[in-house]
Amino acid sequence: MRHVKNYQDGGEAILEAFRRLNADYVISSPGSEWAPFWEALARQNRDAADGPAYMDCGHESIAVNMATAYTKITGRMQVVLLHAGAGMMQGSMALDAAGAMETPLVILSGEVLGYGEGEVDPGSQWYRNLSVAGGTQRLIEPMVKWSQQVASIDTLHETIVRAGEMAQRTPKGPVYLCVPMETMLEAWVKPEAQRPVPVAPKLQPFPEDIERVANAIAGAACPVISVENIGPSQEAFDALVELAELAAIPVVEGQGAFFGNFPKSHDLYLGQRIDPLLAELDLALLVESRAPWYPPSNTPPCAQIVSISENPLKEHMAYQAMHAETYLEGDLAATLRLLSVALRARGLDVDAIAQRRARFRAAHQGWLDGLTASENAAAVGATITPPLVMKVLRDVVPRECCIVDETIVHQMEIREHQMWDDPLTFYRAPSGLGQGLGYALGVKLALPERTVVLTIGDGSFMYNPVVPAMALAAEHSLPLLILVFNNSQYAVMKHFHKRFYPDGTAVTSDDYYGVNIKGPDYEQAAAMVGGYCQRVEDPTDLPAAIEAAYASLQKGKLAILNLIMPGDGGVK
């Protein structure tokens, strides 16, 4: 067996590539192939050299989810190290979600080439269990933007840099590299001169296209903005506010939104339902809105439809029909600002704008009044409900908090009753249940000064890697307030069964399958790491429970409240 001397090898080539890509973190669910990289990290630490921080995770999906959230919030691409094909497949759901959210990440895992037959003995586990016929990249190709094996030390460093640049080009997405241990153990000499890695360029539409859409806005009697995912970019958030205010355009957030996109206190905000406006709107501005109405054919009958997006046609969607007649593609903030500039240059009908503003100010107030009525009713109800939870949260937790949601039947009410005026307050966990804890930890890593609350169904909580998430939160001082919305069932399963078989045997005999959950005492998971835990069933106990949980966070300890919420959640 060859013993490696203390020289720079492929591990250093990898670490130097991460430095050039300006990664803040290397987040890893570790495997035995990464000794060369860890040796390079040890040298970085010994020499007090600049470079990314390293974080171990006990589960692959946590690593990918954290990197996804951190990248989306900061705008800085992060890197993830996984173990062989097995670890990569364990994290594959999170990787697929990162691709759907168009999040640039660099993902690496290792393999071996010699299986102990040469100078390098990687361990018999690679021969018996870990090898993948055809290479690990063939397993993950459908879920990433680009994948490749790098079997030469001569190309390793620059291939990682190129992959990182590729990940950040539109459409953005994760890239994957498979690096054999033999390659990492080869000697590598850092090039004397290395080019700085430039920021990915921003694109914008042609002036004539901007002018055409600005004219359409100016001539519309009832324009409406449908927005899903401009957050968490503050620049795009502000640019959308400017455009909406300028032309008095009401804003509806799509039900598939992963972020908050418009200030809820604004007079032009109308909630999550576009259906009441479909009959009369004559111009639909789909701002980073991939699925504005459902079914897709339920389009406004008399409207011109304009899609404004960096990448409007989503490759990950098997079917997408927005029926757009015009596309403005490019950097979202730049495009929205250009539209505002064009509108100011051509002028607007002041009287028409004033009338529209007054109308939708009244509609906004009606929406607020509806929320207040729901919360007042919840305050005197016999059970805990989402309006009550969100109201108490607003009363107890500072306004500058973040809420990550991974519920199903309660999600609409949670989103409707949560208030925000910036793009950093609301986050929907990535699609595919079981990712909420990892994503919330990534939000906390990116925004350590904010309180991070995870609202999660009892079924969703069961899907999450709870033990490694608790351990990581404690080790890295990332306390979360976890609210388990516990209705002891997968209520959405019952909902669809009743829809398809309203007079069926299951309904008439109350004999449902795939519905009931006999769960544990979820709150006790916090006790593993010395956190605060409480079961809450009486609505009158909720304010004190949330206050106690918040006090635990102030001491650096996470908290879990098991909120007993009987019923089907009002799913429609």
Side-chain angles (χ1 to χ4, degrees):
M1 181 180 71
R2 186 180 73 186
H3 293 280
V4 180
K5 297 180 179 179
N6 189 24
Y7 58 69
Q8 292 191 351
D9 56 16
E12 192 68 38
I14 294 170
L15 181 55
E16 182 62 22
F18 294 165
R19 292 187 186 112
R20 290 179 63 197
L21 291 170
N22 296 309
D24 297 330
Y25 288 95
V26 177
I27 306 179
S28 175
S29 182
S32 56
E33 67 264 46
W34 294 115
F37 179 75
W38 294 331
E39 185 69 12
L41 279 176
R43 287 193 294 268
Q44 174 179 283
N45 187 51
R46 178 199 64 192
D47 300 338
D50 291 335
Y54 179 82
M55 181 178 293
D56 273 329
C57 294
H59 197 280
E60 291 82 357
S61 69
I62 294 176
V64 178
N65 289 146
M66 288 186 70
T68 299
Y70 189 95
T71 298
K72 293 297 288 187
I73 291 169
T74 65
R76 299 189 298 274
M77 181 183 67
Q78 302 307 301
V79 296
V80 177
L81 302 185
L82 302 177
H83 177 43
M88 185 188 61
M89 292 302 291
Q90 184 78 285
S92 61
M93 180 174 69
L95 267 173
D96 186 58
M101 295 175 75
E102 299 182 42
T103 309
L105 300 173
V106 175
I107 313 291
L108 276 69
S109 75
E111 66 174 357
V112 302
L113 300 175
Y115 303 104
E117 299 285 15
E119 293 184 348
V120 175
D121 181 5
S124 63
Q125 72 273 19
W126 291 93
Y127 174 59
R128 292 191 175 97
N129 304 316
L130 295 177
S131 62
V132 177
T136 56
Q137 66 274 11
R138 65 186 290 266
L139 302 177
I140 205 68
E141 282 175 355
M143 301 171 192
V144 296
K145 182 176 179 178
W146 184 77
S147 62
Q148 182 68 37
Q149 183 193 72
V150 190
S152 169
I153 190 65
D154 300 315
T155 60
L156 175 60
H157 175 78
E158 286 295 342
T159 298
I160 295 172
V161 173
R162 173 179 178 249
E165 291 187 282
M166 194 181 304
Q168 297 176 83
R169 261 52 179 190
T170 303
K172 300 172 185 175
V175 295
Y176 169 74
L177 294 172
C178 170
V179 186
M181 286 183 68
E182 291 87 345
T183 302
M184 287 190 272
L185 290 167
E186 291 292 328
W188 180 75
V189 178
K190 178 180 175 179
E192 292 185 6
Q194 298 186 99
R195 67 178 176 91
V197 178
V199 175
K202 294 182 178 182
L203 310 178
Q204 65 184 45
F206 286 113
E208 54 267 31
D209 294 328
I210 292 289
E211 189 70 23
R212 185 169 67 255
V213 174
N215 288 337
I217 294 172
C222 185
V224 174
I225 292 172
S226 169
V227 59
E228 273 193 359
N229 291 311
I230 66 167
S233 166
Q234 186 70 55
E235 187 180 10
F237 188 92
D238 293 341
L240 182 62
V241 172
E242 179 186 9
L243 176 64
E245 286 182 344
L246 181 62
I249 308 174
V251 176
V252 177
E253 284 194 294
Q255 295 182 8
F258 285 110
F259 311 99
N261 299 281
F262 197 81
K264 284 196 167 185
S265 62
H266 200 287
D267 289 345
L268 293 169
Y269 184 86
L270 296 186
Q272 301 174 75
R273 288 178 49 79
I274 198 172
D275 288 4
L277 297 168
L278 289 180
E280 67 171 310
L281 71 88
D282 56 356
L283 176 64
L285 299 175
L286 311 183
V287 180
E288 208 61 70
S289 183
R290 61 197 165 96
W293 31 71
Y294 182 83
S297 58
N298 185 35
T299 56
C302 302
Q304 179 183 352
I305 301 172
V306 178
S307 174
I308 304 172
S309 172
E310 286 191 11
N311 177 45
L313 302 175
K314 308 302 185 184
E315 295 177 359
H316 71 276
M317 294 180 69
Y319 182 68
Q320 181 191 23
M322 297 179 292
H323 302 279
E325 302 161 52
T326 301
Y327 292 92
L328 294 182
E329 298 185 33
D331 179 74
L332 203 57
T335 302
L336 294 171
R337 286 196 303 266
L338 288 170
L339 283 172
S340 293
V341 169
L343 284 170
R344 287 192 178 94
R346 75 172 309 286
L348 293 164
D349 185 331
V350 177
D351 293 336
I353 295 294
Q355 291 176 13
R356 193 156 64 221
R357 195 183 309 278
R359 174 194 169 183
F360 289 113
R361 182 183 296 117
H364 171 77
Q365 187 58 51
W367 171 76
L368 284 177
D369 291 344
L371 296 185
T372 301
S374 295
E375 291 173 2
N376 289 340
V380 296
T383 61
I384 297 172
T385 60
L388 177 64
V389 175
M390 303 314 292
K391 173 64 166 59
V392 174
L393 270 177
R394 290 203 308 273
D395 292 342
V396 175
V397 178
R399 190 172 180 84
E400 289 74 27
C401 74
C402 303
I403 293 184
V404 180
D405 179 51
E406 195 179 27
T407 62
I408 298 298
V409 297
H410 299 115
Q411 63 176 302
M412 299 303 293
E413 284 190 299
I414 288 171
R415 190 178 306 179
E416 195 80 340
H417 286 270
Q418 183 188 356
M419 295 294 112
W420 62 71
D421 283 321
D422 68 21
L424 299 175
T425 300
F426 170 75
Y427 302 87
R428 175 68 186 171
S431 180
L433 294 180
Q435 303 181 71
L437 281 170
Y439 200 75
L441 288 166
V443 172
K444 183 64 177 176
L445 185 66
L447 300 168
E449 73 285 357
R450 289 200 173 204
T451 298
V452 177
V453 180
L454 172 64
T455 55
I456 186 167
D458 52 333
S460 300
F461 194 76
M462 297 271 273
Y463 286 135
N464 272 262
V466 175
V467 173
M470 299 296 104
L472 188 141
E475 178 184 357
H476 295 282
S477 299
L478 300 172
L480 305 175
L481 171 51
I482 301 167
L483 304 179
V484 180
F485 283 42
N486 183 357
N487 60 1
S488 298
Q489 61 179 304
Y490 295 105
V492 74
M493 312 297 190
K494 180 188 287 187
H495 164 74
F496 281 107
H497 194 129
K498 291 165 69 175
R499 174 186 289 184
F500 298 136
Y501 299 95
D503 301 315
T505 304
V507 174
T508 56
S509 61
D510 193 26
D511 185 22
Y512 292 97
Y513 295 84
V515 172
N516 298 315
I517 301 174
K518 187 173 177 56
D521 296 329
Y522 302 107
E523 72 277 12
Q524 293 301 322
M528 292 188 294
V529 292
Y532 182 81
C533 52
Q534 183 178 347
R535 174 187 171 99
V536 189
E537 191 163 3
D538 189 330
T540 61
D541 294 335
L542 185 61
I546 290 182
E547 287 175 1
Y550 179 64
S552 178
L553 265 64
Q554 298 303 101
K555 299 174 184 176
K557 297 288 188 178
L558 63 77
I560 301 179
L561 299 182
N562 184 5
L563 308 181
I564 308 306
M565 304 172 67
D568 295 347
V571 62
K572 296 180 174 63

